[in-house]
Structure formats: structure tokens, C-alpha cells
């Protein structure tokens, strides 16, 4: 297994995804080691000169005017960690914590934080051993960094709190002993460097990004299947239409629909029908999904910039032995990016829900009402659509921008905050909702394809239909439906790697 190098080079999304999935260890390169050591030496020289430096030999926030004596500097950092470890709520998922550790290591390794190499090496060992601090998911406003959740991460390093080691939760000291480590005693600025930063918000947003990219792909497939199930036209996907509008995502999505629907017998069977236009949920898929695609792409670049940034405070510049206090911990870029992702995933689900509604409506789809024979005796997909509508509506509420909210904290010292952590965290619920909606659409579209037999859809979509029918049989009469939906939802989750090979490149 090749290592992901923490160096002066930019970390890319595929590397972040591998570490998130515990599919690759990391390694700190010699150039990064040199940067870390150089900065720590500069910090030592600054302290020895007797300068007063925020967060290193002063209090924090509104207490920044309080000078701390040299003998209390280490205790200051420990006190900071313990007092700030006040998070609440369910623990972050292991995959998110892996990203948190990776992003913090990446930030510290750029040589502006003043920490010892020993601390960064310890965090690297923890990540490679899959020893993950238990971090509550709630309690950050996304400026002065993700203080409370990162304090829980830091507390585990000093032996306080809990780790998850190979999937088992245990006291921090016990976990450290199992992997041959001792709790670390924090030195000057180290607690502050660990707590300041946007790593939790960014990790949650990247996790959401990766999941949204996957459900986007499944929604394209579901949408294409619905076109054939409803005997819709492929004319709206004609390249000439889309090259008359200068949006690359729209052009790319139209090309994908042309590929997915290529050589469909169903389409060939009604080329000369008298239907003039399809409803927007079929016809305007390239326009809507293309717009979502472009937003997702843009957000990916923003989050990669943040993943490769130094976001603690103050920052040390060894070449001049200066310590500069600024505000890189303010997570506004992440908050706005996460809000854009929320809009995109809400629209993906909203469009899918509309196609389900179309398929169950006999007047629009020309399929049996609610996609079942003997309607009346059987309700078919009637309430499955209600579930999809409920989830789409919930996503609309969750899509309200978090970044427009701000509550001042720390006695008005921190008077504008980003709310990036919630902005990113709510993406998990929204993706869950959209996965369920798309799963229902795939079942509905597969049911519609069944009713078009003996005609076949395109070869690619036939392979998808086969995968669905391997797991869920045709809905011939009412049965306990929830397990079917959950089965297909699990098929389209990121971990299932569905479909095995889509014939076009999306990202």
C-alpha cells in the first residue's frame, strides 16, 4: 500500500479520499520535517527574547491581556485544551475523524504553527494505526476555528477522553498504550495550534462532497431510466441544444444522458409518437443536473484550497522570527461552500422526487397507476412517493444557508462567526435523504421498464435493471416495501461502488 506524502506539494481529493477510507497510510517527508523544526526553533528564540505573544505567553480571547509566567506556559496549553473540550452530540464518524487528523497534520506540517516535530509524528502514528479520537459533532460556530471539537481531539493526545481503535471505543490512555505511545505533554503554543483551525468543518464538508458526488452519479442513472420508463424523448439531450448555452456541466450531463440511453429499443419504438414535449423533470435534466455539477466542482476546489491551508492563529514566520495574529481560523469559505453543496444535493433529490411523481401518474407516464397491477386492491408506489416527497421537503429546510447566521461569542471578541461546522454537518442528513429518494426512483423506473417488456432499454441501463432485480423482485402486489427501498439505498451508497463502471467520466 503506497503512502500519501505530507510534503510541500498540494494534497488532492483522491489522496484525501484514500485516507478517509483507511486505504492508505501517510508519511511526513523530510522537507516538511525541516519546516516544522525550523518554525519550532523560531518560536523558542522568540520566547527566549522575552516578547509577549498572544496565546503563547498570554491568555486567550478576551483574556489576551493577561501575561503568563514562563513556568506556567506548558500548563497554559493543557488548561486551554481541557477547558475547551465541551462538545456535545453524537461522535463524528470514523471516516470524518481520519480527515480531521490528516488536515490538522497537513496544516501543522507547513511550518507556521511552532509545534514540535514530536507532536506531528505522534498524530501521524495515530492516524496510521487507525486510532481515532472520539470527537463530539456539536459545539463549534466555525470561528476561532473548530475549538470545542478540536479540543476533544487534542485531549485524547494528552490521555484524556476516548479513542476508537480499530472500531472499538476505549479510554485514551488505554488506546495509547496499546499502540505503544505515551500521552504527550503539550509545549508552548501546541494546545492553541491544535485547537485553532477549520479542520472539523472542512473534514465534514469534504465527506459531504464525496458522498454527494456519488449520489449525483446514481441520480443521473435513475433519471435516464425514468426517461425510458415514461417513454420520454431523447431529443432534449441533443448536443446542438446544449452547445448553444455556455455551461460546461450542462453540456457534460447532456452527453452522459445520450450515452446512457444509446441503443434503447424503448426509444426506437415511439420515435413517431404525437407527444410534443416531456415534463421538465425529464426534459430539463441536463440543465438542472449540469448546474449542480458545476457547483459541486467549484466547491471541490474551494475545499481543496482549505485542506492545503494553515488555519491556526497566531502564525509564525521563521525567516523574520515574527508572530502575526490574524484570522485564518474563520471558516467562512467552508461555510459558503457547504451551503452551495446543500443547495445542489437538495436539487438532486427534488428533481428525482418529481420523476417519481411522474412515473406513478398514469396520465403522464401511461403506466399502471402507482406502478402496480390491480390498483385499488394494491397501493403500489403510492406511499413510497410520499416518503420521497417528505425527504425532499426536509432537504429544502436543511438547505437554508447556515452562513447567513452569526452569534457573537467570547464576550463580543469573536463578534462574527461562520457557522461552517453545522453548514457542513447537515450535509450528512441531506445526502441520506437524497440517497433514499434516488433509491425509490430506481425502483420505480425499474418497475416502469418491466411494464415496457418485451422492449428493452439501452444495454447499459439493462445492466442496471439487472442489478436491481438481483436484489429486489418485480412489485406484482403489495408487500412490506421498506426493506426493498433500503436494499437499493445500500446499493447506491458510496461504499457499494454502484455502478461498477459507468461508461462516461463525470468528474
Amino acid at each position: 500500500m503506497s503512502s500519501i506524502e505530507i510534503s510541500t506539494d498540494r494534497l488532492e481529493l483522491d489522496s484525501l479520499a484514500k485516507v478517509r477510507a483507511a486505504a492508505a497510510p501517510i508519511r511526513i517527508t523530510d522537507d516538511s520535517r525541516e519546516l516544522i523544526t525550523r518554525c519550532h526553533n523560531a518560536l523558542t528564540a522568540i520566547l527566549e527574547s522575552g516578547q509577549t505573544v498572544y496565546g503563547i505567553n498570554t491568555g486567550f480571547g478576551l483574556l489576551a491581556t493577561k501575561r503568563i509566567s514562563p513556568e506556567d506556559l506548558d500548563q497554559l496549553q493543557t488548561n486551554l485544551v481541557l477547558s475547551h473540550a465541551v462538545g456535545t452530540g453524537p461522535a463524528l464518524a470514523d471516516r470524518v475523524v481520519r480527515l480531521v487528523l490528516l488536515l490538522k497534520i497537513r496544516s501543522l506540517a507547513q511550518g507556521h504553527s511552532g509545534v514540535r516535530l514530536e507532536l506531528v509524528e505522534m498524530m501521524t502514528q495515530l492516524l496510521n494505526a487507525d486510532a481515532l479520537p472520539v470527537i463530539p459533532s456539536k459545539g463549534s460556530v466555525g470561528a476561532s476555528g473548530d475549538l470545542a471539537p478540536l479540543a476533544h481531539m487534542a485531549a485524547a493526545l494528552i490521555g484524556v477522553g476516548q479513542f476508537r481503535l480499530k472500531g472499538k471505543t476505549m479510554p485514551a490512555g488505554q488506546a495509547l498504550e496499546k499502540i505503544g505511545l505515551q500521552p504527550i505533554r503539550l509545549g508552548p503554543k501546541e494546545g492553541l495550534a491544535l485547537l485553532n483551525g477549520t479542520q472539523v468543518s472542512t473534514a465534514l464538508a469534504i465527506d459531504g462532497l464525496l458522498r454527494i458526488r456519488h449520489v449525483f452519479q446514481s441520480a443521473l442513472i435513475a433519471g435516464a431510466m425514468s426517461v425510458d420508463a415514461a417513454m420520454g424523448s431523447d431529443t432534449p439531450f441533443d448536443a446542438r441544444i446544449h452547445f448553444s448555452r455556455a455551461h460546461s456541466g450542462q453540456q457534460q450531463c447532456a452527453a452522459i444522458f445520450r450515452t446512457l440511453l444509446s441503443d434503447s429499443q424503448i426509444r426506437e419504438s415511439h420515435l413517431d409518437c404525437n407527444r410534443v414535449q416531456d415534463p421538465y423533470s425529464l426534459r430539463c435534466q441536463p440543465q438542472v443536473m449540469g448546474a449542480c455539477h458545476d457547483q459541486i466542482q467549484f466547491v471541490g476546489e474551494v475545499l481543496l484550497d482549505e485542506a492545503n491551508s494553515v488555519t491556526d492563529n497566531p502564525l509564525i514566520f521563521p525567516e523574520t522570527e515574527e508572530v502575526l495574529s490574524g484570522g485564518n481560523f474563520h471558516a467562512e469559505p467552508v461555510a459558503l461552500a457547504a451551503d452551495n453543496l446543500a443547495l445542489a444535493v437538495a436539487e438532486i433529490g427534488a428533481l428525482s422526487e418529481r420523476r417519481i411523481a411522474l412515473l406513478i401518474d398514469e396520465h403522464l407516464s401511461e403506466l399502471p397507476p402507482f406502478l402496480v397491477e390491480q390498483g385499488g386492491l394494491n397501493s403500489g408506489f403510492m406511499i413510497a412517493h410520499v416518503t420521497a416527497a417528505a425527504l425532499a421537503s426536509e432537504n429544502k429546510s436543511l438547505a437554508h444557508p447556515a452562513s447567513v447566521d452569526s452569534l457573537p461569542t467570547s464576550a463580543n471578541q469573536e463578534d462574527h462567526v461562520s457557522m461552517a461546522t453545522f453548514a457542513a454537518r447537515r450535509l450528512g442528513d441531506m445526502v441520506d435523504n437524497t440517497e433514499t429518494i434516488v433509491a425509490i426512483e430506481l425502483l420505480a423506473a425499474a418497475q416502469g421498464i418491466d411494464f415496457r417488456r418485451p422492449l428493452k432499454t439501452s444495454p447499459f441501463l439493462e445492466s442496471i435493471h439487472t442489478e436491481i432485480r438481483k436484489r429486489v423482485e418485480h412489485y406484482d402486489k403489495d408487500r412490506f416495501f421498506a426493506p426493498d427501498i433500503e436494499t437499493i439505498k445500500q446499493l447506491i451508497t458510496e461504499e457499494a461502488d454502484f455502478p461498477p463502471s459507468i461508461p462516461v467520466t463525470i468528474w
Side-chain angles (χ1 to χ4, degrees):
M1 186 186 297
S2 59
S3 297
I4 304 298
E5 291 192 341
I6 307 300
S7 68
T8 56
D9 293 334
R10 180 179 171 91
L11 279 176
E12 298 296 342
L13 191 59
D14 59 344
S15 296
L16 298 176
K18 286 177 183 176
V19 174
R20 169 178 173 263
I26 68 168
R27 183 181 72 85
I28 304 172
T29 60
D30 290 342
D31 56 352
S32 289
R33 291 171 179 273
E34 183 178 340
L35 290 172
I36 295 166
T37 301
R38 182 186 178 204
C39 188
H40 177 67
N41 291 341
L43 173 63
T44 301
I46 291 166
L47 288 173
E48 289 174 350
S49 73
Q51 293 181 47
T52 299
V53 184
Y54 169 74
I56 300 173
N57 52 16
T58 74
F60 307 98
L62 205 63
L63 302 176
T65 58
K66 304 291 185 181
R67 179 71 183 259
I68 309 299
S69 62
E71 62 270 18
D72 289 332
L73 295 185
D74 289 357
Q75 188 61 47
L76 172 69
Q77 300 300 312
T78 300
N79 289 350
L80 174 71
V81 169
L82 297 178
S83 67
H84 284 50
V86 292
T88 188
L92 294 176
D94 288 354
R95 65 180 187 274
V96 175
V97 179
R98 292 186 193 106
L99 282 174
V100 172
L101 282 172
L102 173 63
L103 297 178
K104 179 57 77 174
I105 291 166
R106 169 63 177 149
S107 180
L108 298 178
Q110 294 185 59
H112 292 292
S113 302
V115 302
R116 293 165 294 164
L117 180 59
E118 173 189 353
L119 174 62
V120 184
E121 287 179 330
M122 178 188 188
M123 296 175 70
T124 301
Q125 287 178 267
L126 291 171
L127 181 55
N128 287 341
D130 210 31
L132 307 172
V134 174
I135 302 177
S137 57
K138 298 182 181 182
S140 173
V141 295
S144 178
D146 293 314
L147 294 173
L150 287 174
H152 284 270
M153 178 199 73
L157 306 185
I158 64 174
V160 177
Q162 294 178 312
F163 276 97
R164 280 178 56 78
L165 179 60
K166 302 296 185 184
K168 294 183 179 179
T169 303
M170 62 187 70
Q174 180 183 342
L176 291 172
E177 184 178 354
K178 280 182 175 290
I179 59 175
L181 294 174
Q182 294 292 323
I184 195 167
R185 180 172 176 81
L186 298 175
K189 195 182 180 292
E190 289 183 337
L192 186 60
L194 290 170
L195 269 59
N196 254 191
T198 66
Q199 285 78 33
V200 172
S201 298
T202 307
L204 284 164
I206 290 171
D207 183 67
L209 170 71
L210 291 168
R211 294 184 65 196
I212 289 167
R213 282 163 52 117
H214 196 81
V215 77
F216 178 91
Q217 175 175 295
S218 297
L220 289 175
I221 294 168
M225 285 189 71
S226 290
V227 169
D228 256 6
M231 298 191 84
S233 173
D234 60 359
T235 299
F237 311 136
D238 189 297
R240 292 168 292 181
I241 296 173
H242 302 283
F243 278 103
S244 71
R245 196 181 195 190
H247 294 290
S248 61
Q250 176 180 326
Q251 294 167 6
Q252 187 172 353
C253 286
I256 290 169
F257 282 114
R258 291 195 299 273
T259 301
L260 296 183
L261 289 161
S262 179
D263 298 323
S264 165
Q265 292 179 6
I266 295 175
R267 175 55 182 143
E268 292 295 321
S269 74
H270 62 96
L271 284 173
D272 298 320
C273 69
N274 58 8
R275 184 187 296 179
V276 178
Q277 290 185 328
D278 294 325
Y280 290 178
S281 59
L282 297 181
R283 183 173 18 134
C284 298
Q285 288 186 80
Q287 288 82 0
V288 178
M289 294 298 281
C292 293
H293 176 278
D294 289 346
Q295 285 297 309
I296 295 166
Q297 285 285 76
F298 167 72
V299 166
E301 290 302 314
V302 172
L303 295 180
L304 279 178
D305 284 345
E306 190 72 4
N308 286 281
S309 297
V310 183
T311 58
D312 67 289
N313 184 65
L315 299 183
I316 300 163
F317 296 87
E319 59 274 13
T320 57
E321 292 191 355
E322 287 183 277
V323 181
L324 303 182
S325 187
N328 280 3
F329 51 69
H330 200 296
E332 193 76 3
V334 181
L336 292 170
D339 281 344
N340 280 344
L341 279 180
L343 295 173
V345 75
E347 283 296 271
I348 294 165
L351 196 64
S352 178
E353 180 275 326
R354 287 291 79 206
R355 292 190 297 265
I356 300 167
L358 183 155
L359 290 174
I360 65 174
D361 186 337
E362 62 179 317
H363 304 293
L364 292 174
S365 67
E366 300 178 1
L367 291 166
F370 302 107
L371 299 174
V372 70
E373 296 173 349
Q374 293 185 279
L377 175 62
N378 295 306
S379 295
F381 280 69
M382 179 189 297
I383 306 304
H385 169 249
V386 172
T387 294
L391 297 178
S393 179
E394 182 176 306
N395 274 356
K396 293 174 187 178
S397 296
L398 288 171
H400 182 279
S403 57
V404 299
D405 186 28
S406 178
L407 284 173
T409 59
S410 193
N412 276 312
Q413 175 77 1
E414 298 158 6
D415 59 347
H416 181 276
V417 298
S418 72
M419 297 299 177
T421 322
F422 170 69
R425 177 166 51 82
R426 59 72 139 83
L427 295 174
D429 287 340
M430 297 185 73
V431 176
D432 282 340
N433 289 342
T434 300
E435 286 174 345
T436 302
I437 297 168
V438 173
I440 293 170
E441 184 187 1
L442 282 167
L443 285 168
Q447 190 80 355
I449 297 295
D450 289 344
F451 284 121
R452 301 301 182 192
R453 296 303 191 213
L455 296 173
K456 291 186 176 182
T457 183
S458 71
F460 178 79
L461 293 179
E462 280 292 332
S463 72
I464 300 299
H465 183 273
T466 298
E467 290 299 316
I468 292 170
R469 285 289 171 254
K470 282 180 182 176
R471 296 161 175 82
V472 175
E473 63 184 12
H474 176 78
Y475 196 103
D476 59 344
K477 60 183 178 182
D478 284 345
R479 60 176 185 255
F480 186 28
F481 204 175
D484 294 353
I485 296 170
E486 184 61 27
T487 294
I488 301 306
K489 180 182 177 182
Q490 292 306 312
L491 174 65
I492 67 173
T493 60
E494 183 187 4
E495 292 78 9
D497 195 27
F498 169 86
S501 58
I502 190 167
V504 285
T505 300
I506 298 177
W507 306 109

